[in-house]
């Protein structure tokens, strides 16, 4: 079986390897943290992609060394908790296995960072007009749902949005008929993909602002 020292050597080797990989990725990890503002959801998406499977929130809390109950309570109070840069760096380091390489992780970080940069560009370019649209429809959830559907791929457009889905996306009370501008803008930004560029969104937004 494993003699203690042999096991200890492997653990030390793994820790040294993890440290080396994190060293090579540090700039990307820091950039990701800055863009995500330490959002636990964003970190959850990142780690799920690194693990090649969706990780439940409790696993993400464990990896980050956060208390699950505290996190849950904060979310319910509408005050989503964030992870510090050090917590994120430690979490990546803990997740690295001996056979992992920088090349396995780097493209994932780059893709997520790109998505944030695109979201920043879109919000800078279209934020004011989106606020105008929100004001024009008085924050009406139905109108916002129609706008989002118009942005969806054609296949999903025909089906419409399932009942309750728009409120869940906006993170507002299920029975609410209107939402605040920040609910709308926050929801929009969270759901932006790399393919959602200004040139794709603007014509649709123009149409709904008429």
């Amino acid at each position: 079986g494993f003699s203690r020292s042999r096991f200890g050597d492997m653990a030390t080797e793994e820790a040294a390897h993890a440290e080396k990989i994190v060293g090579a990725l540090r700039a990307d990890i820091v950039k990701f943290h800055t863009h995500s503002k330490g959002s636990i959801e964003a970190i959850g998406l990142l780690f799920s992609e690194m693990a090649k499977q969706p990780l439940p929130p409790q696993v993400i809390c464990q990896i980050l060394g956060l208390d699950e109950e505290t996190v849950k309570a904060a979310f319910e109070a509408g005050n989503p908790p964030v992870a510090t840069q050090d917590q994120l760096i430690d979490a990546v380091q803990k997740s690295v296995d001996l056979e992992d390489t920088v090349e396995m992780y780097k493209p994932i970080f780059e893709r997520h960072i790109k998505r944030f940069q695109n979201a920043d560009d879109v919000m800078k370019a279209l934020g004011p007009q989106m606020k105008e649209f929100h004001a024009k429809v008085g924050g009406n959830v139905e109108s916002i749902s129609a706008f989002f559907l118009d942005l969806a791929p054609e296949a999903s457009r025909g089906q419409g949005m399932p009942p309750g889905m728009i409120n869940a996306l906006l993170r507002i009370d299920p029975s609410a008929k209107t939402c605040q501008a920040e609910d709308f803008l926050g929801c929009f930004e969270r759901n932006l993909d790399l393919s959602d560029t200004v040139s794709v969104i603007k014509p649709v937004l123009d149409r709904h602002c008429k």
Side-chain angles (χ1 to χ4, degrees):
F2 271 116
S3 71
R4 213 178 229 142
S5 67
R6 168 96 180 80
F7 197 67
D9 287 348
M10 271 189 64
T12 321
E13 195 187 339
E14 193 157 86
H17 177 69
E19 210 165 295
K20 197 172 99 194
I21 288 203
V22 165
L25 291 169
R26 184 176 280 270
D28 291 314
I29 300 173
V30 169
K31 209 183 260 184
F32 175 88
H33 186 269
T34 308
H35 276 294
S36 66
K37 302 179 182 68
S39 149
I40 290 181
E41 284 169 285
I43 292 170
L45 292 172
L46 175 81
F47 274 86
S48 294
E49 203 176 321
M50 294 193 318
K52 300 190 179 61
Q53 59 176 345
L55 299 176
Q58 55 269 33
V59 171
I60 301 299
C61 290
Q62 262 167 0
I63 297 174
L64 288 166
L66 298 170
D67 176 61
E68 198 190 333
E69 288 309 309
T70 316
V71 168
K72 223 192 206 144
F75 263 111
E76 280 160 11
N79 186 14
V82 292
T84 65
Q85 190 177 295
D86 286 341
Q87 282 171 325
L88 178 60
I89 290 172
D90 281 349
V92 175
Q93 194 153 332
K94 271 191 280 197
S95 308
V96 174
D97 289 325
L98 208 43
E99 63 275 11
D100 291 352
T101 62
V102 172
E103 291 70 42
M104 280 165 66
Y105 289 121
K106 200 169 174 62
I108 297 175
F109 274 97
E110 284 173 350
R111 210 168 30 253
H112 281 256
I113 290 164
K114 244 202 204 115
R115 201 173 62 84
F116 282 122
Q117 286 167 336
N118 176 58
D120 285 350
D121 292 345
V122 169
M123 297 314 286
K124 269 197 198 91
L126 299 179
Q129 191 180 354
M130 291 181 65
K131 282 191 188 131
E132 272 168 44
F133 163 68
H134 177 274
K136 176 189 166 254
V137 300
N140 178 293
V141 169
E142 295 287 314
S143 308
I144 287 170
S145 178
F147 167 63
F148 280 151
L149 260 183
D150 239 358
L151 285 170
E154 224 156 295
S156 12
R157 247 178 261 167
Q159 302 158 2
M161 248 193 222
M165 181 164 169
I166 184 67
N167 291 50
L169 284 173
L170 289 163
R171 298 188 179 165
I172 56 175
D173 190 276
S175 58
K177 299 277 182 269
T178 59
C179 70
Q180 302 292 323
E182 53 269 23
D183 298 327
F184 170 50
L185 290 168
C187 166
F188 189 75
E189 185 166 358
R190 276 194 302 277
N191 290 288
L192 279 173
D193 228 348
L194 270 177
S195 56
D196 299 319
T197 55
V198 173
S199 55
V200 170
I201 297 160
K202 189 157 173 43
V204 179
L205 186 57
D206 287 343
R207 242 193 346 268
H208 283 262
C209 280
K210 277 193 181 126

